[in-house]
Amino acid sequence: MTERSKQLFEEAKRYLPGGVNSPVRAFGSIEDIPRFIKKADGAYLWDEDGNRYIDYVGSWGPMLLGHNHPEILKSVAEACARGLSFGAATEIEVEAARMVCEMVPSVEMVRMVSSGTEAVMSAVRAARGYTRREKIVKFEGCYHGHSDAMLAKAGSGVLTQGIPDSAGVPAGCTQDTLLAAYNDLDGVKAHFAREGERIAAVIVEPVAANMGVVLPKHGFLEGLRSLCTQYGALLIFDEVITGFRLRMGGAQELFGVTPDLTTFGKIIGAGMPVGAYGGKRCVMETVAPLGSVYQAGTLSGNPVAMAAGVCMLRLIRQNPGLYAMLDQNGDYFFTALAEIIRKAGLHYQVNHIGSLGCLFFTQEKPTDSRSAKTSDTKAYGAYCRYMLRHGVYLAPAQFEAMFLSAAHTKELLDRTLEVAEGYFA
Ligand SMILES: *Cc1c(COP(=O)(O)O)cnc(C)c1O
């Protein structure tokens, strides 16, 4: 039964473009209608028709500890009682900043903002201001939010200049965005060989999680690090998804590669709108009011959002077994899913790392955006609709990650695997 969601969607379409406030929520790519969510708890979502789902979206990442964690709710309620926003310095934002610096050693100073988009846009500006250079290298298939300069994809070739990916982005905004294929170090080398002294930064998702999930090949991140060092460019890790998810210190801790700047979002706000960017002190000191890189925000470091974030980071710190448990559950779940596929005589690919994973409807192992795009998105849509009908809420698009949380017990994972088996067997 999806009557109520259908009605709400019809009404929503009158007032909101496409009926939603962010495009992927419209379920268009799986040819279905959005489920309007009423509430969530632990690993579960309930929609307005009363259907219950095991949730593998987790608000697109923030819900590392599951929905409605009682301690986070309590921190937020207490902060609300003191006032929603002051537009002034607060103790809680100092605590948040200190925790980020302690948990992510490459971050010596950090600036809080209100979204991942803002974090990336500002980090790129700081990198350009610090290096006094203009070019940015970005990878095709990596998503860094919707700021103008980041909305560029490659044309047919790997080394094409950036062309805007969206109407409304002037060509001038992406002309300094150089594109390379993910995992293609030679493509990046070629950019540096041609205009190394004009490249301000290389920005990368250390695990790509916006073209499905694509892992960095051995040596790729290390290679980016040494190229940036060699040419005096900054390495920016966009850890909006991987930060606090793969390890307490993010993907940079897991892979042992140290960026100059890091962007955060999603988990850092525990479901409240928070983003952050930080890194080397010398770079962050170029940001206003210390330096000449202007960046500001009326609601930046909002006390309610900071209370949620600080509580989330504290809970992560207090749970030394968290990442081992998430890794173990992720390994168990995605290996079992791949086994179900194999037993059904299919050759679809499952990529995963820790609590992040993706089932690609293609026979070619995705290592970059080109191979990821060989996926049969219609087949993904049929699978996704079946899973929804059977109480499993997956990302309503092939090129998104599945997110496990600490609330996804082995029992829930097994129940999900049974549903998948019912589809494939
Ligand atoms: C989600 C995401 C962003 C954008 O964050 P918003 O909060 O949606 O603006 C940027 N980078 C990555 C890697 C993301 O996954």
Side-chain angles (χ1 to χ4, degrees):
M1 256 271 294
T2 54
E3 283 317 302
R4 189 78 192 115
S5 281
K6 272 195 194 111
Q7 282 167 8
L8 284 167
F9 192 43
E10 285 312 310
E11 190 180 2
K13 284 191 285 190
R14 280 213 291 275
Y15 304 110
L16 296 161
V20 290
N21 280 311
S22 194
V24 75
R25 295 180 200 167
F27 282 53
S29 80
I30 63 160
E31 298 172 68
D32 203 339
I33 58 140
R35 302 303 186 269
F36 280 70
I37 303 303
K38 185 169 195 170
K39 61 172 186 173
D41 197 56
Y44 288 113
L45 291 177
W46 284 264
D47 68 16
E48 293 284 353
D49 289 286
N51 301 304
R52 187 181 74 171
Y53 305 93
I54 306 173
D55 176 25
Y56 289 92
V57 176
S59 189
W60 303 97
M63 297 302 159
L64 182 73
L65 303 178
H67 294 279
N68 270 2
H69 193 288
E71 289 186 47
I72 297 175
L73 293 186
K74 183 162 166 280
S75 296
V76 168
E78 286 169 0
C80 284
R82 291 187 294 266
L84 296 185
S85 176
F86 316 121
T90 59
E91 183 175 357
I92 188 99
E93 64 190 350
V94 185
E95 196 177 349
R98 190 186 60 236
M99 289 180 91
V100 172
C101 293
E102 286 169 1
M103 292 164 85
V104 188
S106 74
V107 176
E108 296 171 338
M109 281 185 134
V110 64
R111 170 62 60 85
M112 298 293 170
V113 292
S114 301
S115 69
T117 295
E118 235 187 305
V120 168
M121 182 184 78
S122 312
V124 166
R125 186 179 300 151
R128 284 171 161 160
Y130 175 76
T131 59
R132 309 255 158 206
R133 300 175 179 184
E134 296 192 344
K135 307 272 181 200
I136 300 291
V137 176
K138 118 170 238 303
F139 296 93
E140 191 186 349
C142 280
Y143 179 67
H144 301 295
H146 66 92
S147 68
D148 285 348
M150 294 295 114
L151 286 181
K153 65 176 177 186
S156 48
V158 166
L159 292 176
T160 31
Q161 282 258 315
I163 31 163
D165 218 2
S166 160
V169 176
C173 289
T174 54
Q175 75 185 11
D176 293 314
T177 307
L178 307 171
L179 292 149
Y182 198 78
N183 276 321
D184 176 22
L185 206 49
D186 287 338
V188 182
K189 269 186 200 149
H191 281 310
F192 273 107
R194 273 200 321 226
E195 42 195 347
E197 70 296 340
R198 289 204 290 277
I199 295 174
V202 174
I203 184 164
V204 67
E205 288 182 76
V207 169
N210 286 285
M211 47 174 144
V213 172
V214 172
L215 274 55
K217 284 186 180 159
H218 188 71
F220 175 60
L221 298 173
E222 292 83 351
L224 296 181
R225 176 66 278 175
S226 52
L227 279 170
C228 285
T229 305
Q230 182 187 343
Y231 285 92
L234 301 184
L235 179 61
I236 307 174
F237 275 6
D238 182 349
E239 298 230 36
V240 169
I241 283 183
T242 54
F244 310 108
R245 173 165 290 277
L246 298 183
R247 285 293 178 272
M248 195 169 83
Q252 54 196 273
E253 178 186 331
L254 180 61
F255 296 114
V257 177
T258 306
D260 302 296
L261 289 176
T262 304
T263 56
F264 301 98
K266 300 185 173 132
I267 291 175
I268 200 175
M272 299 295 284
V274 181
Y277 67 103
K280 281 202 176 123
R281 184 172 302 277
C282 57
V283 182
M284 292 307 289
E285 281 178 346
T286 63
V287 175
L290 276 185
S292 54
V293 173
Y294 189 70
Q295 187 270 307
T298 302
L299 297 178
S300 296
N302 171 274
V304 179
M306 289 294 104
V310 163
C311 188
M312 169 67 93
L313 298 185
R314 202 179 285 143
L315 290 166
I316 288 173
R317 258 192 174 173
Q318 286 165 356
N319 186 348
L322 176 65
Y323 295 102
M325 185 266 276
L326 289 168
D327 282 2
Q328 214 172 32
N329 284 354
D331 288 346
Y332 170 75
F333 179 78
F334 291 108
T335 308
L337 184 61
E339 185 61 18
I340 288 169
I341 306 285
R342 197 192 58 78
K343 274 196 188 141
L346 298 165
H347 295 88
Y348 299 147
Q349 300 291 321
V350 178
N351 280 356
H352 102 275
I353 182 164
S355 57
L356 277 179
C358 182
L359 165 55
F360 289 96
F361 284 73
T362 176
Q363 310 210 358
E364 185 181 351
K365 185 104 189 139
T367 58
D368 57 13
S369 136
R370 186 206 55 77
S371 44
K373 279 185 189 157
T374 61
S375 297
D376 180 347
T377 53
K378 281 228 176 318
Y380 180 84
Y383 161 70
C384 195
R385 293 193 303 271
Y386 176 93
M387 297 299 279
L388 269 172
R389 278 203 308 279
H390 292 82
V392 177
Y393 191 90
L394 302 175
Q398 166 74 87
F399 302 113
E400 305 289 349
M402 281 180 83
F403 297 90
L404 269 55
S405 80
H408 288 73
T409 57
K410 185 147 176 303
E411 188 207 333
L412 290 183
L413 297 177
D414 281 336
R415 210 184 306 155
T416 306
L417 290 166
E418 272 169 37
V419 178
E421 202 159 17
Y423 182 71
F424 288 111

